Amino acid sequence: MVDSLVVRHRRRHALDGLSFEAGRGVLAVLGPNGAGKSTLFRVLAGLAKRTSGVVLFDGDDYRDRSGLRAVRATLGFQPQAPVFNTGFTVLEAVRYAAWLKGVGRRESAALVDRALGATHLTDLASRQVRRLSGGQQKRTAIAQAIVHEPHLVVLDEPTASLDPTERQAVLEIISRLGRRATVLVSTHITSDLAAATDVLVLDAGRAQFSGSKRDFRERTHATHATDATPATDLDVWEAAYAAVRGAT
Amino acid sequence: MTSFGAAWLALRRSQFLAPSAVIALAGIALGRGETAPGFYEWRDRTAAVAAALTLALPLLSGVSAFAGARLRRSAAFALIRSAPDGGVRATLAFLAAAALLAVAAFTAMAVGIFIPWGSPGIPRGNPDWSWLVSSAVALVAATLVGYVVGILLPWWWSAPAACVVSYATGVVILVLGSAVTPTTPILSPLFVASLGPFFRLNDALFEARSAWFGGCALLATAVLLLSVARSRRAASVVAVFGAGLVAIGAIGVLGASTGISLDRPSAALRCAGSHPQLCLNPAYEPERAALRAALLPVERRLDETPFAFDRVELTQRGVGGDSPAGTAALHVDDFTTDWQTRDLSEFVQSMLDSRGPGSACARSGPGEQNGSALVFIGWAVGSREIADSWEGGGAAYDRLNSLPPDAQKAWVTRGASELCAGEAPLSELS
């Protein structure tokens, strides 16, 4: 739960009184560049400081040292630009992430195998990450984020710069994750809503919409009452997004 | 994976593994004098390691700053900081990897220089464990400080800046180190190069210096724990230990009575041969034949003159008390090309300066040598070039050399008092 979250960078509000709730499922966070998506995700990952406001996950408060530690233990984070500049192989990168999250040696092997399997990377385990394609690198970053089977998964633009095939593969992974965890996915690509169960639209650090995907879709009908009915899902999401942004 | 495994993985996959190997190899090459054959042959292997260190210290610092900056800009940095402990273990693992790499580079250089590898060029010297350990710790500290600089200032210029600043710091310390008196504390890992193999180092001083550099490494670790993991508790614990070590090291360094134990020769001189008997530190034993061959002509020319000598001690420059009659002190800085002319001319010149009880010039007042003394010095070492460096000296040298050997010796004997006063009796040669 995020309540009245404010993050100020010098004199500019990156997040300005943002409030929303998220449960199990995939919450797609939509917004243009500079809307505050990455700032929100960095706060959720415990990397950026709040100016004010409350952030809670499963009752753990980010303001408490112990609360933040508890959240970090159950948090999986994929940064916006997963640049792997070391010579780690896929297997080493995922193992390393498991170690960072405090996974014991005994459980590590099985969890790493599971994460690689879930992200279709088993066959690439011995390849150096920097030699993989952009999509494969994104999947490696997701494998790192989910290796400890977190309850909160924060994926910052996981489908950016991917070709359609890779994007589809990543969206399927995200959909499966949403069945057992709270997954937040930032994107500015409306077609990514295919994997979402809920939608949060950000603009200038404020929530323009927060609700279920069904409610979001309803916005389309409201604005398209006199227009031609959208032909595809993508058209629906584009129209809903335009409606939400236009309403402001 | 364990913490050790994480450090080992970070080391194996480190970006500065290959550059560090290159730096170590370059250090070995420099230390062994193979980068410029004949340009400078190191006096002993301790000095060679010191030379390698002057190269490795700034370069490893710069490379680790580069690696730190790359880590800061990478996604791994966000992953590390979102770990439950805020990245404390990961930070320590990365620093451990950097420290291991620095130790490995130093060990490789020391081994590469100390093991003969079939090359006879470098005398053995007397490597002192306290000096070696303190030098290794200095390299670790420079590497960790470079890493911290890269993490805190992840810009393109941080690596070259770390390199230049650490080199400049080393140079300043070296300059200070070269100007020290025996009571001035010396922090430089490099000043040992000026000691040669003659004297034992002051172990207490170097142990204190190891603590000092170790404390600096711990303080760098504390800064990183605070800035990366934002762990005040871990940072303060490490900082307390680091500050304590720095304080202990500083007290030890400042309280050390002497930097160099000039009153404690590293080993007794070994004397052998006759006319002249040559006495050497054991480290210089491989050079005995070359030294003897260089001294023989000088000994023959000065024999049966007031400047005759039948015993030569190879000693450290600026050190050495009064010698008994017939004993002369020779200083050899290094065995570069033409060292014979350089060091033997100084050897003869020092005879004219000496006021020791056994010296031919013992009863002379303090005299200032003018250029004419160069004729005598040039004649003694068989170098017209030296004599000719004074105007008209070349012609005087030719005239002296044209005399029969007995007449030459007689000229020296008659003019001994004038020579001791700094002037050669050239009127006799006109």
Side-chain angles (χ1 to χ4, degrees):
Chain A
M1 187 267 285
V2 172
D3 186 25
S4 307
L5 178 62
V6 175
V7 176
R8 197 179 295 153
H9 290 154
R10 295 193 176 90
R11 291 183 179 178
R12 196 180 71 84
H13 282 85
L15 293 174
D16 189 8
L18 178 65
S19 300
F20 68 91
E21 288 192 30
R24 184 178 297 178
V26 178
L27 172 66
V29 181
L30 280 170
N33 288 335
K37 301 190 298 288
S38 287
T39 303
L40 170 63
F41 278 36
R42 286 178 60 78
V43 170
L44 293 174
L47 298 175
K49 282 186 176 174
R50 295 161 295 101
T51 306
S52 64
V54 178
V55 182
L56 296 173
F57 183 74
D58 274 354
D60 291 315
D61 194 331
Y62 278 58
R63 288 174 297 186
D64 302 333
R65 196 172 181 79
S66 59
L68 182 59
R69 191 180 175 96
V71 172
R72 278 172 167 167
T74 189
L75 164 88
F77 176 55
Q78 176 244 303
Q80 190 176 46
V83 181
F84 295 85
N85 60 1
T86 61
F88 282 21
T89 64
V90 171
L91 181 64
E92 288 167 344
V94 180
R95 264 190 199 158
Y96 188 75
W99 173 75
L100 279 176
K101 289 296 181 182
V103 174
R105 256 199 304 181
R106 286 184 186 171
E107 311 93 76
S108 180
L111 287 174
V112 168
D113 284 347
R114 207 174 300 166
L116 292 176
T119 48
H120 314 297
L121 287 168
T122 306
D123 294 340
L124 300 172
S126 59
R127 291 266 290 273
Q128 283 198 328
V129 180
R130 62 183 172 195
R131 302 201 188 284
L132 300 179
S133 69
Q136 290 165 334
Q137 288 196 8
K138 282 277 169 71
R139 282 191 277 140
T140 305
I142 293 173
Q144 285 186 301
I146 66 171
V147 65
H148 58 302
E149 300 193 332
H151 298 143
L152 174 61
V153 181
V154 178
L155 307 175
D156 199 354
E157 305 220 357
T159 59
S161 314
L162 298 187
D163 63 45
T165 311
E166 279 287 3
R167 178 177 296 157
Q168 192 54 41
V170 169
L171 289 177
E172 283 171 14
I173 293 166
I174 292 170
S175 286
R176 281 202 303 276
L177 281 174
R179 288 175 206 146
R180 62 164 185 77
T182 301
V183 182
L184 277 79
V185 179
S186 93
T187 182
H188 55 264
I189 305 167
T190 45
S191 60
D192 287 355
L193 291 179
T197 53
D198 297 280
V199 178
L200 171 68
V201 177
L202 283 183
D203 199 6
R206 293 179 184 162
Q208 305 303 333
F209 175 85
S210 177
S212 68
K213 194 161 77 174
R214 177 177 290 180
D215 290 343
F216 186 64
R217 192 183 179 112
E218 291 299 316
R219 295 295 182 99
T220 321
H221 296 307
T223 54
H224 283 270
T226 56
D227 299 346
T229 306
T232 64
D233 272 358
L234 181 57
D235 293 337
V236 170
W237 307 134
E238 291 282 5
Y241 187 36
V244 167
R245 297 188 67 196
T248 62
Chain B
M1 185 181 287
T2 61
S3 296
F4 180 78
W8 180 241
L9 181 64
L11 177 66
R12 276 196 303 132
R13 302 298 192 190
S14 167
Q15 289 170 313
F16 62 115
L17 189 60
S20 301
V22 172
I23 290 168
L25 287 174
I28 292 169
L30 178 65
R32 295 183 73 88
E34 290 176 6
T35 49
F39 175 68
Y40 200 101
E41 291 173 29
W42 298 102
R43 195 166 34 202
D44 60 61
R45 290 176 194 151
T46 305
V49 173
L53 210 57
T54 58
L55 180 79
L57 204 93
L59 287 184
L60 268 186
S61 182
V63 166
S64 61
F66 176 78
R70 288 288 299 269
L71 176 67
R72 171 66 183 267
R73 291 198 298 263
S74 77
F77 194 69
L79 282 182
I80 286 168
R81 289 188 58 197
S82 64
D85 65 356
V88 172
R89 287 187 311 151
T91 302
L92 292 177
F94 269 103
L95 288 179
L100 274 174
L101 208 57
V103 170
F106 183 81
T107 306
M109 287 191 299
V111 168
I113 289 167
F114 280 106
I115 291 181
W117 303 115
S119 161
I122 309 165
R124 182 174 295 280
N126 291 283
D128 190 294
W129 282 109
S130 67
W131 175 79
L132 281 175
V133 169
S134 69
S135 299
V137 176
L139 197 60
V140 168
T143 304
L144 296 195
V145 169
Y147 212 80
V148 172
V149 167
I151 293 273
L152 297 183
L153 309 168
W155 300 303
W156 68 265
W157 51 263
S158 59
C163 189
V164 170
V165 169
S166 60
Y167 184 75
T169 307
V171 167
V172 166
I173 291 173
L174 183 64
V175 169
L176 288 176
S178 66
V180 292
T181 65
T183 53
T184 308
I186 302 161
L187 296 174
S188 168
L190 313 170
F191 95 104
V192 176
S194 69
L195 292 181
F198 294 102
F199 300 99
R200 285 195 191 285
L201 299 182
N202 184 335
D203 284 337
L205 173 76
F206 282 90
E207 283 158 10
R209 208 187 63 180
S210 297
W212 197 85
F213 282 124
C216 289
L218 284 181
L219 286 179
T221 304
V223 169
L224 213 53
L225 284 173
L226 195 62
S227 57
V228 175
R230 300 190 195 287
S231 172
R232 285 182 193 165
R233 188 190 296 176
S236 55
V237 168
V238 176
V240 165
F241 277 104
L245 271 179
V246 166
I248 291 169
I251 291 168
V253 168
L254 293 171
S257 56
T258 58
I260 314 163
S261 302
L262 293 177
D263 53 345
R264 279 195 299 154
S266 61
L269 296 179
R270 274 191 209 151
C271 300
S274 59
H275 295 290
Q277 185 186 44
L278 183 56
C279 300
L280 302 177
N281 179 286
Y284 276 77
E285 203 57 56
E287 307 295 337
R288 181 180 289 279
L291 286 164
R292 184 167 181 75
L295 281 166
L296 269 177
V298 182
E299 193 269 339
R300 283 178 190 154
R301 289 202 170 204
L302 294 177
D303 193 27
E304 296 173 14
T305 74
F307 300 100
F309 57 90
D310 54 16
R311 178 182 154 99
V312 175
E313 292 178 352
L314 188 73
T315 61
Q316 172 74 330
R317 178 183 301 284
V319 181
D322 299 329
S323 302
T327 298
L330 171 67
H331 314 298
V332 178
D333 288 328
D334 54 69
F335 292 95
T336 52
T337 308
D338 207 27
W339 66 268
Q340 295 92 336
T341 306
R342 183 193 65 199
D343 293 317
L344 291 178
S345 60
E346 193 181 281
F347 170 69
V348 176
Q349 189 178 8
S350 69
M351 291 178 176
L352 302 181
D353 278 338
S354 175
R355 299 289 178 266
S359 166
C361 297
R363 291 183 183 176
S364 307
E368 191 174 324
Q369 289 177 16
N370 72 21
S372 63
L374 289 170
V375 175
F376 166 71
I377 294 169
W379 167 81
V381 301
S383 168
R384 187 182 191 279
E385 198 180 347
I386 289 175
D388 203 32
S389 59
W390 179 67
E391 194 178 351
Y397 173 90
D398 292 338
R399 286 194 293 277
L400 180 58
N401 257 341
S402 65
L403 299 174
D406 287 349
Q408 292 176 17
K409 290 178 190 292
W411 176 79
V412 173
T413 304
R414 283 195 305 275
S417 58
E418 282 178 79
L419 285 168
C420 287
E423 198 165 345
L426 296 184
S427 57
E428 290 190 30
L429 297 175
S430 55

